[in-house]
Amino acid sequence: MSKSNKIVLRIQSADGTKRVETEQTVTTKALYELAKAACGLDNFDFALYRERNYTKEIVSSGSQDVKDIGLKHGDIVYLRLVEGPSTSKATERSASVNSLASSHSSSLSNASFSREATPSTSSKPSAAATEQAIVEDSVDLELYKQDGRIKRDRDEKLCRHNSNGCCVHCSPLEPWDENYLKEQKIKHFSFHSYLKKLTSGAARGKFVALEDLNCKIKSGCRDHPPWPKGICSKCQPSAITLNRQPYRHVDNVMFENTGIVERFLNYWRTSGHQRIGFLFGKYEIHPDVPLGIRARVAAIYEPPQESNRDSIRLLDDPHDADVDELARMLGLQRVGWIFTDLLSENLANGTVKHVRNIKTHFLTAQECILAGHLQNKYPNRCKDSSNGYFGSKFVTVCVTGDEKKQVHMEGYAVSAQCMALVRDNCLIPTKDAPELGYIRESSDKQYVPDVYYKVSDICLVFVLWV
């Protein structure tokens, strides 16, 4: 090498920084080979970037020199392992990188998914790309057009103006007004009221971003070896404090007719065994809640299952995709799931036991985990989220006995915090107390953040009444 063209480049990866000597006239393909040898890699399952945030990828090419891409003596090149199909142009990659991308693509195409999976929280496309790719539900598009203000009539005692005037006693209320919701016995304000509240004020929601809670270590930290050998404040997930979620995505569940539920309950009436079904229907505007959403159920699909008096086990459903396609052709979608927890007390009177109450539980930990799993599987499309999804409209309906020992239905949904803990495999049920859940302890395979809560509020943290 001539001294005039000789340069030293630094290759920074998750394992540290290496130095390589090269010339400005060598090709980028040769630079990939030098990086592979310097970092001790066995293959070319990596990519090189000019920027620390892994942008401006250096394409492996036999016709492009190092000087053509602007690398100079002392520059840092960032190496990142490829974990999936490459997004760069395949025609500009070398043969080795091309074969790697094709092998990843084929492995992903062989995996079968019955429905659209929940998008990863680590991928954050631009806001413009998200707005173009995500198509929200029609009920959301309609609610965006409404202001949701609660109109009030003129108060004859307090208002001192004529019928055309307005004062603080008769001016419209915001849809998230706590006093109004308390008077109407509305436990949580609607999700669109929550969005209106975030975008109100002088900033008009300019700095508001809806982000899902992350309970996993951020991958790709280059300051230390990967977990469990090292962790830092940049990649460590924050501790979680369980709080009561003030809003809910669905405010009411309505069945189109009683025959839907009666046919579902006939299995329990004839066998005494419990049953699970999926709710198919539509989302519509709920007039009783400001900017509210109601799930209107048109049908119940009962998947293959094995059940007895105390438990239910779902089996693989070969017709799952066909059911979704048929529902789509009918203009329906999965809006929730329903299950029974009925124990007969007096067959002659037709009464059932009242086992779910504030002294025992409303939902068991296992049911909350299953509800969280299904809500993650069917996320809510939202343009205000960085990845296009936030929360879920998927509801849970429990058929059990009420205080009068009659068959009764209650609607629930778990909070976004519960969804995150379930998604990241942090929450598991307990063996001896069905009403209690357990947070996993950190191990060599998984880091679990600290979770704090108040005992008096824990029953309100995960479960939202619909």
Side-chain angles (χ1 to χ4, degrees):
M1 293 185 184
S2 61
K3 293 185 178 180
S4 58
N5 293 330
K6 184 178 179 181
I7 61 173
V8 176
L9 298 176
R10 290 173 288 174
I11 309 295
Q12 189 173 95
S13 65
D15 297 328
T17 304
K18 306 292 183 181
R19 296 176 182 267
V20 294
E21 292 187 2
T22 183
E23 294 183 349
Q24 290 185 334
T25 56
V26 301
T27 62
T28 56
K29 180 179 179 180
L31 179 61
Y32 267 77
E33 295 174 353
L34 290 173
K36 172 177 173 289
C39 297
L41 301 176
D42 297 330
N43 46 43
F44 288 91
D45 56 347
F46 64 90
L48 300 178
Y49 300 87
R50 293 289 311 277
E51 300 294 338
R52 182 185 294 271
N53 58 352
Y54 301 119
T55 58
K56 298 184 180 180
E57 180 179 356
I58 301 174
V59 179
S60 177
S61 173
S63 60
Q64 191 176 36
D65 297 338
V66 170
K67 63 180 180 181
D68 295 336
I69 60 176
L71 287 177
K72 302 183 296 296
H73 177 72
D75 285 351
I76 302 179
V77 176
Y78 301 94
L79 183 147
R80 184 182 189 183
L81 297 179
V82 177
E83 298 178 352
S86 175
T87 57
S88 63
K89 297 180 181 179
T91 56
E92 297 179 354
R93 284 293 189 109
S94 64
S96 58
V97 179
N98 271 328
S99 62
L100 172 69
S102 62
S103 64
H104 277 284
S105 300
S106 61
S107 63
L108 286 176
S109 62
N110 291 334
S112 60
F113 298 90
S114 60
R115 286 177 294 273
E116 180 183 0
T118 304
S120 171
T121 56
S122 60
S123 60
K124 296 183 179 180
S126 63
T130 300
E131 189 171 353
Q132 293 178 358
I134 297 300
V135 179
E136 296 181 288
D137 293 333
S138 58
V139 65
D140 294 318
L141 299 179
E142 292 179 17
L143 289 173
Y144 283 133
K145 302 175 183 178
Q146 302 181 11
D147 59 4
R149 291 179 177 271
I150 306 165
K151 296 182 179 180
R152 294 189 295 175
D153 297 330
R154 181 176 180 274
D155 194 314
E156 298 295 338
K157 296 181 179 180
L158 300 177
C159 295
R160 304 298 181 185
H161 52 78
N162 56 25
S163 58
N164 295 327
C166 185
C167 66
V168 294
H169 302 294
C170 62
S171 59
L173 299 175
E174 298 293 347
W176 61 84
D177 186 82
E178 295 183 0
N179 294 328
Y180 174 82
L181 297 178
K182 189 175 181 180
E183 291 175 0
Q184 301 298 320
K185 298 182 179 179
I186 300 175
K187 303 182 182 72
H188 310 269
F189 52 78
S190 64
F191 178 65
H192 279 267
S193 297
Y194 176 70
L195 293 179
K196 294 286 186 183
K197 184 177 182 180
L198 292 180
T199 55
S200 63
R204 309 300 297 175
K206 182 179 179 180
F207 306 103
V208 174
L210 299 178
E211 297 289 345
D212 285 328
L213 183 66
N214 184 27
C215 306
K216 289 185 177 180
I217 296 178
K218 295 180 181 178
S219 59
C221 188
R222 299 175 295 274
D223 296 339
H224 55 78
W227 175 266
K229 295 183 179 180
I231 193 172
C232 67
S233 58
K234 292 188 294 184
C235 62
Q236 179 183 7
S238 302
I240 302 170
T241 301
L242 300 181
N243 296 312
R244 183 178 182 271
Q245 184 170 298
Y247 64 89
R248 57 190 177 189
H249 289 271
V250 175
D251 303 277
N252 183 261
V253 181
M254 183 184 71
F255 291 84
E256 287 189 350
N257 57 74
T258 58
I260 300 173
V261 181
E262 292 298 326
R263 286 193 297 269
F264 177 71
L265 294 179
N266 282 338
Y267 181 84
W268 169 78
R269 292 192 179 107
T270 56
S271 65
H273 294 176
Q274 309 303 331
R275 198 69 171 164
I276 278 182
F278 287 104
L279 306 176
F280 282 84
K282 300 178 180 179
Y283 296 111
E284 59 185 15
I285 296 177
H286 185 38
D288 297 337
V289 177
L291 299 178
I293 295 177
R294 176 169 59 194
R296 187 186 187 96
V297 180
I300 299 178
Y301 169 67
E302 302 175 31
Q305 55 193 282
E306 293 179 354
S307 62
N308 53 38
R309 181 177 176 270
D310 301 315
S311 63
I312 308 173
R313 186 169 71 92
L314 289 175
L315 306 177
D316 293 335
D317 187 3
H319 306 294
D320 193 69
D322 297 333
V323 172
D324 282 338
E325 179 63 19
L326 179 61
R328 186 190 64 80
M329 296 173 64
L330 295 173
L332 305 176
Q333 65 182 107
R334 296 195 191 221
V335 298
W337 67 296
I338 185 173
F339 69 95
T340 62
D341 183 18
L342 297 169
L343 299 174
S344 297
E345 184 179 64
N346 191 318
L347 294 177
N349 297 331
T351 57
V352 293
K353 294 183 179 179
H354 177 47
V355 295
R356 293 175 181 256
N357 50 64
I358 196 169
K359 295 182 179 180
T360 56
H361 60 272
F362 295 101
L363 287 179
T364 66
Q366 183 65 58
E367 293 161 357
C368 287
I369 292 173
L370 180 55
H373 169 73
L374 293 174
Q375 289 182 206
N376 283 313
K377 197 171 187 178
Y378 302 97
N380 175 55
R381 295 186 291 268
C382 181
K383 67 178 182 179
D384 296 311
S385 176
S386 59
N387 64 351
Y389 295 87
F390 185 77
S392 175
K393 294 191 187 81
F394 205 78
V395 298
T396 300
V397 178
C398 175
V399 185
T400 185
D402 60 5
E403 296 178 354
K404 298 179 181 179
K405 299 184 179 180
Q406 300 297 317
V407 176
H408 177 67
M409 290 189 297
E410 285 287 350
Y412 303 98
V414 297
S415 66
Q417 287 183 327
C418 181
M419 289 175 59
L421 292 172
V422 173
R423 182 197 64 223
D424 296 333
N425 198 25
C426 298
L427 180 64
I428 56 177
T430 55
K431 194 173 183 179
D432 52 348
E435 71 276 9
L436 298 179
Y438 182 76
I439 299 296
R440 290 182 184 271
E441 296 181 359
S442 297
S443 62
D444 293 343
K445 297 181 179 180
Q446 179 185 6
Y447 175 83
V448 180
D450 295 330
V451 179
Y452 302 99
Y453 64 92
K454 294 180 181 180
V455 177
S456 59
D457 295 339
I458 190 62
C459 65
L460 302 176
V461 169
F462 281 165
V463 181
L464 307 176
W465 278 261
V466 177

